[in-house]
Amino acid sequence: MSTTTCSLQLGGDPNDARNLWVQPADPGHRPDGGINNKKDPVETKLHTAACSGKVTLAGAQQAIVTDWTTALSKLGLS
């Protein structure tokens, strides 16, 4: 795995300080406006796909650390 940390949902180290920060809300997000951060559902979809065997855990990890905005499409999950 690269030196970039991986999402906790995908096996990232819960003791690594780089994983222990609050993700800011997306720009323009309103408190009653649904999901707080667009990265969260990507992490959840990758986690679900890895657990169900649709993708390998290593593939999901690599996709999210490379570019989370394209991770789902690169793995055929979008």
Side-chain angles (χ1 to χ4, degrees):
M1 182 108 232
S2 76
T3 57
T4 304
T5 63
C6 186
S7 147
L8 293 177
Q9 287 199 61
L10 294 171
D13 183 353
N15 296 311
D16 188 320
R18 294 171 294 179
N19 279 333
L20 302 177
W21 57 279
V22 177
Q23 292 178 338
D26 290 328
H29 175 75
R30 292 188 319 258
D32 61 346
I35 62 168
N36 184 48
N37 187 296
K38 292 179 184 169
K39 187 177 179 186
D40 292 341
V42 173
E43 293 170 343
T44 300
K45 283 184 179 183
L46 290 172
H47 174 259
T48 301
C51 288
S52 68
K54 290 182 180 176
V55 299
T56 65
L57 177 58
Q61 290 171 332
Q62 186 60 43
I64 200 156
V65 299
T66 301
D67 182 353
W68 73 267
T69 65
T70 62
L72 296 177
S73 61
K74 282 188 176 182
L75 295 172
L77 299 170
S78 53

